């Protein structure tokens, strides 16, 4: 497999003398050394995005849509190659990587369909004195920053709507996982994307160079996915020039099991909500809030399922749980578990770093977790499930809302009305009822509170890359 490992600027693959290793987290071996960007490369990327903005905005929506459609078809045809690359640089098991690649390609298909449906409005003003015309125009060169946990989908979820809207862009993937983004861009090149529309940089050091770009008048929009901590910092940076900002940040998802839940279905949903991507998902169930009536039955059945999860290298047949992306990330998870055990929790399964190399952490279930335990305040980002027992639906909702995050929540109940009442009470941008996964390119993805602002996917996603303009006139 040839791996693109240079920067991509103005339609050219740009090598650089300064390169950094990209590691395979299953054994810490180096996959390839990737080119990094200094101030000259960042400037070139900005100049390319700025230079192409007018011609790209004027390109017919049908043409933009057809490029995306071709990219969807190429990515789908080459899904195995993509999945292997995702697994190699991220560590997730191949089945998770295949799921991610299919999901990622769907953003290109969805936004190929949205490109030709950017609508406006034309009507008489209520006072009859004028006509109101509302149109939507591309916001302009956008800076896209993505995390390591979904290197394919987080890239296409931003690149897709930006292309559909007629925006040029500079994208900065995570330093841990830049190779998938470069492969996605290579597909867009083959699909016929004109030069300058998409540019990929990997600035090292990152903070000062991204800050300089956000203070450059050529950048008009930031779309960021990553931690709340970095998102907050970038929001401050954007404030200086009032750069338009959409932020997809961290989560601390509650999974609420009501007293009438079907335990078999709940365990199946909980396994997906917790273990998809090895728990390294912003949508991962992070706090299991379980009604006392079913707490024992759920805990036993869930820990049995978690104990049966096979851990091993992502590419090995039979692996269901790969390593975390790095030893550093693994150690953060281990520290949270140790803290929970010190505070009185009991591990029904897992709970310790295994012997041997690689950034592995086993599937872990903790019971006896108090409602004020430290672990509940943190995004675990690993395969660890703390269970807290509650005595009423109201207590469950109050505990679910006891966090600064509000991305997604899960509710399990056999009574839809009761589940909907709980769903309405929980402060999160998305709620899954009796399902462990609801992400869909056709639905609005995003959070409340400190999980971010703006939405990706659905009908809303393209509007993160469009300005609304009102033109008033008399006939
Ligand atoms: P991170 O915030 O550490 O990094 C995200 C990106 O920001 C990376 O590309 C990183 O290199 C870059 N970055 C870091 N410091 C920066 C700075 N000072 N200036 C500019 N860029 C900087 O997050 P991560 O560890 O890569 O990803 C995990 C986090 O992402 C979790 O909190 C997870 O919940 C969140 N996430 C959210 C969503 C969502 O849609 N809400 C999706 C996936 C991941």
């Amino acid at each position: 497999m040839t791996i693109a490992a240079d920067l991509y600027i103005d339609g050219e693959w740009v090598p650089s003398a300064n390169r950094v290793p990209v590691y395979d987290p299953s054994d810490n071996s180096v996959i390839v050394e990737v080119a990094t960007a200094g101030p000259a490369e960042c400037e070139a990327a900005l100049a390319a995005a700025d230079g192409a903005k007018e011609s790209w905005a004027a390109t017919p929506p049908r043409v933009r849509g057809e490029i995306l459609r071709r990219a969807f078809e190429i990515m789908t045809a080459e899904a195995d190659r993509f999945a292997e690359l995702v697994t190699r640089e991220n560590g997730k098991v191949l089945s998770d990587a295949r799921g991610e690649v299919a999901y990622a390609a769907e953003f290109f298909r969805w936004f190929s369909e949205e490109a030709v449906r950017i609508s406006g409005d034309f009507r008489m003003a209520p006072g009859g004195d004028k006509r109101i015309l509302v149109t939507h125009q591309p916001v302009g060169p956008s800076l896209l920053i993505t995390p390591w946990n979904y290197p394919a989908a987080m890239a296409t979820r931003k690149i897709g709507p930006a292309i559909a809207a007629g925006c040029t862009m500079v994208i900065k993937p995570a330093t841990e996982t830049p190779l998938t983004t470069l492969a996605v861009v290579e597909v867009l090149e083959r699909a016929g994307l004109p030069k300058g529309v998409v540019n990929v940089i990997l600035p090292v050091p990152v903070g000062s160079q991204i800050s300089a770009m956000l203070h450059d008048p050529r950048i008009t929009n930031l779309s960021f996915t990553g931690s709340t901590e970095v998102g907050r910092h970038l929001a401050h940076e954007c404030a200086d020039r009032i750069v338009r900002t959409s932020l997809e940040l961290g989560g601390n998802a509650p999974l609420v099991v009501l007293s009438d839940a079907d335990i078999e279905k709940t365990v199946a949903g909980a396994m997906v909500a917790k273990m998809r991507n090895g728990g390294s998902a912003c949508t991962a169930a992070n706090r299991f809030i379980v009604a006392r009536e079913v707490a024992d039955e759920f805990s036993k059945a869930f820990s049995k399922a978690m104990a049966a999860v096979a851990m091993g290298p992502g590419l090995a047949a039979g692996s269901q749980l790969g390593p975390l992306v790095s030893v550093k990330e693994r150690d953060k998870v281990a520290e949270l578990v140790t803290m929970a055990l010190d505070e009185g929790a009991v591990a029904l399964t897992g709970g310790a770093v295994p012997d041997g190399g690689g950034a592995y952490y086993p599937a872990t279930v903790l019971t006896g977790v108090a409602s004020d335990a430290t672990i509940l305040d943190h995004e675990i980002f690993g395969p660890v499930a703390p269970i807290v027992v509650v005595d009423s639906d109201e207590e469950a909702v109050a505990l679910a809302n006891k966090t600064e995050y509000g991305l997604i929540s899960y509710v399990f109940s056999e009574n839809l009305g009761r589940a909907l009442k709980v769903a309405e009470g929980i402060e999160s941008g998305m709620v899954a009822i009796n399902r462990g996964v609801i992400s869909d390119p056709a639905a609005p993805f995003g959070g409340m509170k400190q999980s971010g602002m703006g939405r990706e996917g659905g009908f809303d996603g393209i509007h993160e890359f469009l300005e609304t303009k009102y033109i008033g006139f008399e006939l």
Side-chain angles (χ1 to χ4, degrees):
M1 175 167 57
T2 48
I3 295 177
D6 286 335
L7 306 173
Y8 186 72
I9 299 171
D10 206 15
E12 303 288 335
W13 293 95
V14 180
S16 130
N18 296 320
R19 304 184 81 90
V20 291
V22 179
Y23 294 99
D24 178 337
S26 71
D27 58 8
N28 295 328
S29 61
V30 174
I31 303 170
V32 71
E33 300 224 317
V34 68
T36 67
E41 288 83 11
C42 290
E43 166 55 33
L46 267 183
D50 190 56
K53 73 177 178 190
E54 276 165 28
S55 61
W56 185 239
T59 300
R62 177 69 75 203
V63 174
R64 303 200 299 255
E66 282 175 354
I67 291 170
L68 283 174
R69 176 74 200 198
R70 279 196 293 279
F72 159 73
E73 280 163 9
I74 298 171
M75 245 184 114
T76 304
E78 299 180 9
D80 285 349
R81 166 177 88 88
F82 266 96
E84 191 182 324
L85 185 59
V86 169
T87 291
R88 286 192 70 195
E89 68 173 348
N90 169 280
K92 69 178 71 178
V93 293
L94 210 45
S95 54
D96 273 338
R98 287 202 183 101
E100 181 187 347
V101 171
Y103 176 56
E106 282 297 336
F107 283 103
F108 282 166
R109 173 151 71 172
W110 173 258
F111 285 107
S112 76
E113 293 156 349
E114 286 297 280
V116 292
R117 313 220 189 287
I118 301 167
S119 60
D121 186 16
F122 178 61
R123 63 198 147 94
M124 187 188 284
D129 58 330
K130 60 184 172 307
R131 297 295 187 272
I132 292 173
L133 191 151
V134 180
T135 184
H136 300 285
Q137 297 179 330
V139 63
S142 298
L143 181 58
L144 319 179
I145 302 180
T146 56
W148 53 262
N149 67 334
Y150 281 96
M154 297 304 97
T156 59
R157 199 164 77 177
K158 296 183 188 306
I159 296 171
I163 287 180
C167 290
T168 60
M169 68 210 82
V170 176
I171 178 160
K172 190 215 95 61
T175 323
E176 294 88 340
T177 57
L179 306 176
T180 305
T181 301
L182 291 166
V184 166
V185 166
E186 191 258 339
V187 164
L188 286 165
E189 185 182 45
R190 280 195 273 153
L193 193 71
K195 62 182 201 155
V197 177
V198 172
N199 305 276
V200 188
I201 54 164
L202 197 64
V204 175
V206 64
S208 54
Q209 299 195 80
I210 291 294
S211 172
M213 292 178 94
L214 289 172
H215 288 87
D216 188 301
R218 289 170 290 183
I219 286 292
T220 53
N221 185 33
L222 168 72
S223 174
F224 172 79
T225 298
S227 62
T228 296
E229 187 190 350
V230 174
R232 189 181 292 118
H233 164 73
L234 293 176
H236 279 287
E237 297 268 10
C238 287
D240 289 339
R241 288 182 45 248
I242 318 290
V243 172
R244 260 187 64 156
T245 311
S246 65
L247 302 171
E248 298 287 347
L249 308 177
N252 184 356
L255 186 146
V256 177
V257 185
L258 299 184
S259 59
D260 62 357
D262 175 315
I263 296 304
E264 203 178 314
K265 271 197 256 169
T266 305
V267 168
M271 287 303 291
V272 178
K274 178 72 256 182
M275 296 304 287
R276 200 161 59 106
N277 231 37
S280 298
C282 53
T283 51
N286 209 53
R287 297 171 293 149
F288 290 70
I289 300 172
V290 184
R292 188 171 302 279
E293 294 88 331
V294 292
D296 269 358
E297 190 188 351
F298 172 77
S299 304
K300 279 190 194 123
F302 182 47
S303 53
K304 189 172 165 207
M306 288 283 272
V309 170
M311 191 164 64
L315 288 177
S319 287
Q320 294 169 308
L321 174 62
L324 278 92
V325 75
S326 63
V327 169
K328 189 171 141 223
E329 285 296 318
R330 192 271 316 274
D331 289 348
K332 275 199 230 165
V333 172
E335 198 185 319
L336 282 172
V337 173
T338 304
M339 218 184 308
L341 296 173
D342 287 349
E343 289 178 12
V346 173
L348 291 183
T349 184
V353 174
D355 294 335
Y360 292 98
Y361 199 84
T364 297
V365 178
L366 302 173
T367 50
V369 177
S371 60
D372 59 354
T374 313
I375 193 168
L376 303 180
D377 296 333
H378 293 268
E379 185 179 28
I380 302 168
F381 233 56
V384 175
I387 296 178
V388 189
V389 176
V390 289
D391 286 302
S392 67
D393 294 7
E394 292 71 25
E395 192 186 343
V397 171
L399 186 54
N401 290 339
K402 202 177 148 232
T403 170
E404 71 266 29
Y405 295 105
L407 187 61
I408 190 169
S409 47
Y410 301 86
V411 182
F412 287 84
S413 165
E414 286 303 287
N415 178 333
L416 184 59
R418 190 174 166 194
L420 279 173
K421 191 165 177 224
V422 169
E424 280 190 4
I426 296 182
E427 297 157 354
S428 69
M430 301 175 282
V431 184
I433 295 181
N434 292 334
R435 284 185 64 95
V437 57
I438 55 167
S439 299
D440 192 313
F445 187 107
M448 295 179 178
K449 295 158 78 176
Q450 293 189 36
S451 285
M453 55 190 186
R455 293 293 180 268
E456 293 191 322
F459 299 120
D460 303 39
I462 199 167
H463 285 280
E464 302 293 337
F465 294 91
L466 292 169
E467 285 284 12
T468 298
K469 183 178 280 178
Y470 158 48
I471 301 170
F473 58 97
E474 277 181 57
L475 289 182

